[in-house]
Amino acid sequence: MRKRIVAGNWKMNTDVTAGTQLAAELMTLLAEKPAPDNVGVAIAVPFTHITEVARCIDQKVICLAAQNCSSESAGAYTGEVSATMLKSASVMAVLVGHSERRSYFHEDHPTLARKVDQVLANGMRPVFCFGEVLEEREGGIQNRIVEAQLMESVFHLSETDFSKLILAYEPVWAIGTGKVASPEQAQEMHKYVRDLIAGRYGAAVADGTTILYGGSCKSSNAVEIFSKPDVDGGLIGGASLDAPEFHRIIHSF
Ligand code: PEP
């Protein structure tokens, strides 16, 4: 049975003190009531928080993730943080291709492919995010958009490397808007993506790939969304900043 995951994306929120407290509170809640069997928990924290958060969590309980990394391995790239640096700071997974990075920082398909390669080359797991914007959904071309995102940034991988990916379908119109995709819309896209993976890597790889849903997911809608057969958990933005709420989402299977 493929792994289910609930991953928090803190985005650019909390300072180091508040972030460390949030991680510690989540550890306490998971000690009182651990995640269900076969459900992994991750938090993607700001770069500045990594060292302190790593100190206060047990990575057997919460996997430490970063929100981004450089597409380059080292050198004169002022302000960038490499995958090697993240690995050396105990990070286990890295978000790649979040829609906020695609839109505000103009990250294109080839750049994202290089980031995915960097994360894998450093023994971490990419959480590859993709999804269509509102006009694309309204124009009925969401499948074509998602197919291109996968083709251009992750379908170059070998089967072995692809099997290390976690995918996150995040319809951009649902991120931070309070407008959640219906469970049926999520299921339809997740099934479409799983079929694309089967076409490229075969049924066994497709069946083993964890595909998360992201976009205004909360404890009030998670149960219904996670109940869909091709939805393997969630990437949670705003709601991951509240430890009890995030803990309830972890228990929404
Ligand atoms: C996200 O940042 O990946 C996300 C899904 O945000 P939110 O849950 O706030 O919509």
Side-chain angles (χ1 to χ4, degrees), residues 11-31:
K11 312 193 191 203
M12 197 171 73
N13 291 299
T14 73
D15 62 12
V16 175
T17 305
T20 309
Q21 278 165 3
L22 177 58
E25 192 184 351
L26 186 60
M27 276 301 296
T28 304
L29 291 169
L30 288 167

Side-chain angles (χ1 to χ4, degrees), residues 51-92:
T51 308
E52 281 303 312
V53 170
R55 260 198 267 273
C56 84
I57 62 172
D58 175 352
Q59 291 223 45
K60 291 198 278 302
V61 178
I62 303 174
C63 163
L64 181 57
Q67 298 174 15
N68 182 32
C69 73
S70 177
S71 56
E72 308 303 321
S73 52
Y77 299 100
T78 302
E80 287 288 271
V81 173
S82 73
T84 310
M85 292 170 184
L86 295 174
K87 176 72 177 179
S88 73
S90 307
V91 167
M92 313 258 284

Side-chain angles (χ1 to χ4, degrees), residues 9 11 98 100 170 174-177 214-217 235-238:
N9 173 18
K11 312 193 191 203
H98 192 281
E100 288 149 19
E170 300 205 296
I175 297 180
T177 57
S216 298
C217 196
L235 180 54
I236 318 296

Side-chain angles (χ1 to χ4, degrees), residues 189-210:
M189 182 58 86
H190 283 227
K191 170 81 170 65
Y192 174 71
V193 167
R194 207 174 297 287
D195 288 346
L196 287 176
I197 299 167
R200 170 70 180 85
Y201 294 101
V205 173
D207 196 46
T209 303
T210 297

